[in-house]
């Protein structure tokens, strides 16, 4: 299975992914965490770009969409292998991040979807939903998308996905780490019938 945690910067994806892995391991599942942007050369290039103010301009957002799609493909074989086995891939972000972040008037969103067409489809996507005021407090604000205006717009884009996408759910990320984890576990337990 390929399970994805999504949400704006500061929503708690990496902490929750780690706790989820620990729990699934106690249930005897073989798991692997993957993170986007990856550690590939493309991922490293992306991380450098994310520190530059000009990365939010229209042309650079178009370029970033292409880089994120290419970076994602470096994970493809591993995800496909997991989908054909009992292994569970837990992913911190997916192509849904591109749909929600590389999303402005300069970009045709169906183009973003198209350049991601060869990346694997998640079996389940969990959106950790947190308001932008709380989220920004948890950001180090080093990267260009970590501004309140950008997070507010991106959060709206995530919430829109709930209306159009399959196998996608929202969990309120406002409560404590433990409570949010409990809710994630409940949802996954139902799906895995454990
Ligand atoms: P993030 O998960 O915040 O990494 P870290 O916590 O290590 O900084 O991802 C980095 C940024 O990249 C984040 O602001 C979201 C952005 N991003 C996109 O804009 N598009 C994408 O397709 C992906 C995967 C991430």
């Amino acid at each position: 299975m390929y399970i994805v945690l999504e949400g704006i910067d500061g929503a708690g994806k990496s902490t929750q992914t780690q706790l989820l892995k620990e729990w699934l391991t106690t249930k005897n599942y073989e798991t692997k965490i993957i993170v986007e942007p990856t550690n590939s050369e493309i991922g490293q290039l992306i991380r450098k770009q994310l520190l530059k103010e000009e990365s939010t301009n229209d042309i650079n957002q178009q370029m970033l969409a292409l880089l994120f799609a290419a970076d994602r493909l470096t994970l493809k074989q591993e995800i496909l292998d997991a989908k054909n086995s009992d292994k569970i891939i837990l992913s911190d972000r997916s192509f849904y991040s591109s749909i929600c972040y590389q999303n402005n008037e300069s970009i045709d969103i169906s183009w973003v979807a198209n350049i991601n067409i060869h990346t694997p489809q998640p079996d389940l996507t969990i959106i950790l939903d947190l308001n932008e005021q709380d989220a920004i407090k948890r950001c180090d604000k080093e990267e260009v998308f970590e501004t309140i205006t950008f997070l507010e717009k991106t959060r709206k884009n995530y919430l829109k996905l709930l209306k159009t996408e399959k196998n996608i759910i929202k969990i309120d990320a406002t409560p404590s780490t433990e409570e949010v984890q409990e809710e994630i576990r409940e949802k996954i337990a139902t799906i895995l019938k454990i």
Side-chain angles (χ1 to χ4, degrees):
M1 269 190 109
Y2 171 36
I3 299 177
V4 170
L5 269 76
E6 279 286 354
I8 57 175
D9 294 80
K13 294 175 303 299
S14 54
T15 309
Q16 296 297 347
T17 310
Q18 189 56 46
L19 292 170
L20 192 53
K21 179 181 169 64
E22 285 166 21
W23 173 69
L24 286 168
T25 306
T26 68
K27 302 281 175 200
N28 295 324
Y29 282 95
E30 189 190 346
T31 56
K32 167 93 191 274
I33 292 182
I34 58 177
V35 179
E36 292 190 27
T38 73
N39 256 333
S40 72
E41 285 184 29
I42 306 168
Q44 289 173 30
L45 176 60
I46 292 173
R47 286 200 183 275
K48 278 191 209 150
Q49 296 302 315
L50 290 176
L51 301 174
K52 298 182 187 165
E53 196 49 55
E54 63 268 26
S55 290
T56 52
N57 80 31
D58 290 350
I59 294 174
N60 286 327
Q61 275 282 60
Q62 295 162 7
M63 184 195 72
L64 274 175
L66 291 165
L67 287 176
F68 278 120
D71 184 42
R72 195 162 288 131
L73 285 170
T74 67
L75 298 166
K76 181 172 181 172
Q77 193 57 53
E78 188 172 16
I79 296 172
L80 291 181
D81 290 346
K83 273 175 162 282
N84 291 323
S85 73
D86 292 335
K87 190 168 169 182
I88 300 182
I89 297 268
L90 300 172
S91 184
D92 182 339
R93 300 195 179 278
S94 70
F95 81 98
Y96 286 127
S97 288
S98 287
I99 300 283
C100 297
Y101 279 78
Q102 278 63 58
N103 186 330
N104 64 31
E105 310 69 47
S106 80
I107 305 187
D108 177 349
I109 208 63
S110 60
W111 172 75
V112 180
N114 264 321
I115 57 173
N116 282 283
I117 205 157
H118 294 299
T119 60
Q121 192 68 31
D123 296 301
L124 173 69
T125 302
I126 297 171
I127 298 175
L128 293 180
D129 180 47
L130 187 63
N131 71 61
E132 55 284 354
Q133 285 87 3
D134 286 342
I136 198 85
K137 288 185 206 148
R138 301 195 202 155
C139 293
D140 54 20
K141 303 189 191 77
E142 279 182 351
E143 291 173 353
V144 284
F145 300 138
E146 295 176 344
T147 69
I148 196 116
T149 332
F150 200 91
L151 293 186
E152 182 184 7
K153 191 183 95 174
T154 309
R155 179 184 181 208
K156 285 192 185 134
N157 291 335
Y158 274 116
L159 296 177
K160 278 192 218 151
L161 289 180
L162 292 166
K163 299 195 185 105
T164 57
E165 299 300 299
K166 280 187 289 182
N167 303 329
I168 189 158
I169 56 171
K170 178 188 86 163
I171 285 183
D172 181 8
T174 323
S176 70
T177 302
E178 295 72 26
E179 285 169 288
V180 173
Q181 178 64 201
E182 200 44 48
E183 201 174 339
I184 297 175
R185 289 180 186 181
E186 274 171 27
K187 301 274 190 230
I188 292 184
T190 311
I191 290 166
L192 295 177
K193 301 189 179 71
I194 50 177

